[in-house]
Amino acid sequence: MRLHRLSITAFGPFGTTQEVDFDALSSAGLFLLHGPTGAGKTSVLDAVCFALYGAVPGARQSPGASLRSDHAPGDLPTEVQLELTVGGRRLEVTRSPAQPRPKKRGDGFTVEKARSRLRGYDPERGWHALSTSHQEIGEELTQLIGMSRDQFCQVVLLPQGDFARFLRSDAEARGKLLGRLFDTRRFAAVEERLAELRRGAEAKV
């Protein structure tokens, strides 16, 4: 999976729209996400996770927690847009959480439902719509990435404490996850075949 561009609007500490050009950042190979506490480093990673899975890591998705920025103007909707290549496909996913918006008539606010949109790109057709279904988009991205949100947060985002917990987990749990990440099924099949030959040899002896 390769990230190309991230646009964050009224999300977390970002009251307006901020864009991250990952292609430019990674042109030298590696880049460092650096800044003082509260600068929004974790929120950038949260935005990536939200775009991919429609939720942010663990405790930050607790009941009652809002993803909307307290600094955003009332008429600016919260939205995250991520352009990426995964499984050989160029995709753009846009997500907005459930959020209050000013009523079109009268005073006060009304709650707008969460929205998701997935587009694909090919050289001949350009960008074209694929789905606006939360479930379809979630299943499609999870299948392409090959990890659930919890696995992605634990292995890719490496949030504080969670990676240490992964390292301390039992061998069976680590083995299942790493086996899925690195597709070790063929080695498991070879191991099982060798075990069968061993049992056959033992029976003959």
Side-chain angles (χ1 to χ4, degrees), residues 4-205:
H4 299 292
R5 182 183 58 84
L6 176 68
S7 176
I8 309 170
T9 302
F11 181 92
F14 306 110
T16 56
T17 298
Q18 303 292 324
E19 294 210 1
V20 181
D21 186 342
F22 287 107
D23 284 338
L25 286 174
S26 59
S27 61
L30 294 174
F31 64 90
L32 174 67
L33 190 62
H34 175 70
T37 300
K41 302 182 297 296
T42 300
S43 294
V44 171
L45 302 179
D46 283 351
V48 171
C49 186
F50 179 70
L52 295 175
Y53 295 98
V56 296
R60 297 192 290 282
Q61 189 65 45
S62 58
S66 174
L67 300 177
R68 180 166 174 77
S69 174
D70 295 331
H71 310 291
D75 59 349
L76 182 65
T78 297
E79 181 181 274
V80 172
Q81 186 177 84
L82 178 65
E83 188 179 328
L84 71 157
T85 296
V86 58
R89 297 171 60 189
R90 184 86 171 222
L91 300 172
E92 178 196 78
V93 58
T94 305
R95 293 193 192 264
S96 299
Q99 58 190 299
R101 65 163 175 80
K103 289 183 177 179
K104 295 179 180 178
R105 296 180 181 177
D107 298 328
F109 290 83
T110 185
V111 176
E112 189 161 302
K113 293 181 179 179
R115 291 179 292 110
S116 298
R117 183 186 72 199
L118 182 65
R119 299 198 303 165
Y121 179 83
D122 67 57
E124 294 182 1
R125 299 171 57 191
W127 288 104
H128 55 279
L130 295 175
S131 179
T132 57
S133 164
H134 298 300
Q135 183 175 353
E136 285 181 2
I137 294 172
E139 290 174 355
E140 180 79 8
L141 290 175
T142 299
Q143 184 176 0
L144 287 171
I145 296 168
M147 285 182 280
S148 67
R149 186 199 69 172
D150 289 342
Q151 291 170 333
F152 180 82
C153 292
Q154 191 177 53
V155 177
V156 178
L157 291 188
L158 313 185
Q160 293 177 1
D162 286 354
F163 186 58
R165 187 162 60 249
F166 165 72
L167 293 177
R168 289 194 299 267
S169 63
D170 62 73
E172 184 179 356
R174 288 200 310 270
K176 285 181 179 179
L177 178 55
L178 294 173
R180 183 173 179 183
L181 288 176
F182 299 107
D183 193 12
T184 59
R185 287 173 296 179
R186 57 181 174 170
F187 301 110
V190 169
E191 184 180 26
E192 178 58 31
R193 177 61 180 150
L194 291 173
E196 287 178 3
L197 294 173
R198 185 197 71 221
R199 288 192 291 269
E202 287 175 348
K204 288 180 179 179
V205 171

